[in-house]
Structure formats: C-alpha cells, structure tokens
Amino acid sequence: MSHSNSHDHAVHGHEHSHDEHANHGSLRSYLTGFVLAVILTVIPFWLVMGHVFQSHWVTITLVLLLAIVQILVHVVYFLHLDTRSEGGWNMLSFVFTIVLVVIVLGASIWVMYNENTNMMPMSPQYQHSGE
C-alpha cells in the first residue's frame, strides 16, 4: 500500500507541474502573437517594396529595428520566455545566446566589409594603364 501512496503522490506532483506549464499559452496569446508577427512582417515588406524612404539606410535601420521587435514578440508569445520562467534561467540562457549571435554576426559583417573594401579587383581602366 505504501507503494500505491508514493505512486499517487508522484502522479499528483507531475500533474501539478504539468498544470503550471499548461497556463503558458492560451489561444488568445497565440493569436495576439500571430497578429503582431504578421503586422511586423507586412510593415518592412511595405517599406521596401513601396520605396517609402529615399534613403536606403533609413529603410535598412527600420527593417532591422522591426526585426528585433519581431524576435521579442516570438520569444514572449511563442517561446514564453520571461524573467519568471524556470527561475530566470531561461532568460539568462536566451541573453547568452543573443550575445553570441551578435558577436558572430558582427564579426562576420566586419570581416566581409573589410574583404570587400581591401580585396576588390581593379577596374579595367586601371589594369591597362600600366602597359
């Protein structure tokens, strides 16, 4: 009988843990996230295809900012990461991942920019001037 009581306790403990995680996502929160994601996808598409701004840098900056907002929407509404989940460890691991991605992307862009600047082939007019 003690085996049955310990089994019941384990089952109820598991159900309690499951109930806490079941409250993470409701249909309303998923629909809110979906609508925000669609809006944050349509706006950059409109900015680029409609040539809303004359400056490409303004368009690029706005698209990147909207991409960051969309990442946050996905994290909050679909991945359910916040400072309370798992005692803050989920958020800490997410921040660590962001730092690594920024370092890798920043270094990659820096290297590609320097290669593009320093390794461009000479134009045809300069290649023939040495003859």
Side-chain angles (χ1 to χ4, degrees):
M1 257 213 212
S2 65
H3 176 65
S4 175
N5 288 340
S6 66
H7 177 69
D8 289 341
H9 178 66
V11 169
H12 291 300
H14 177 66
E15 288 175 1
H16 178 66
S17 173
H18 181 68
D19 289 340
E20 288 177 3
H21 293 296
N23 293 332
H24 280 273
S26 66
L27 180 60
R28 182 178 176 152
S29 75
Y30 283 121
L31 287 176
T32 303
F34 177 73
V35 168
L36 287 172
V38 168
I39 290 170
L40 291 169
T41 301
V42 169
I43 291 173
F45 185 78
W46 170 71
L47 288 174
V48 171
M49 296 304 291
H51 302 289
V52 176
F53 297 105
Q54 296 298 323
S55 171
H56 294 296
W57 290 109
V58 172
T59 304
I60 290 170
T61 303
L62 284 174
V63 168
L64 289 175
L65 289 174
L66 290 169
I68 291 169
V69 172
Q70 187 165 104
I71 289 170
L72 294 174
V73 166
H74 284 265
V75 165
V76 170
Y77 287 99
F78 299 119
L79 297 177
H80 309 293
L81 290 181
D82 58 13
T83 56
R84 298 181 311 266
S85 62
E86 301 291 329
W89 285 107
N90 279 346
M91 187 56 77
L92 183 63
S93 65
F94 182 69
V95 169
F96 180 70
T97 302
I98 288 174
V99 168
L100 287 179
V101 167
V102 166
I103 289 171
V104 168
L105 288 178
S108 298
I109 291 170
W110 179 57
V111 166
M112 287 186 285
Y113 174 79
N114 282 327
E115 284 183 356
N116 186 38
T117 302
N118 297 324
M119 306 286 271
M120 289 295 292
M122 293 175 57
S123 64
Q125 66 184 5
Y126 293 117
Q127 288 178 355
H128 296 297
S129 65
E131 294 177 10

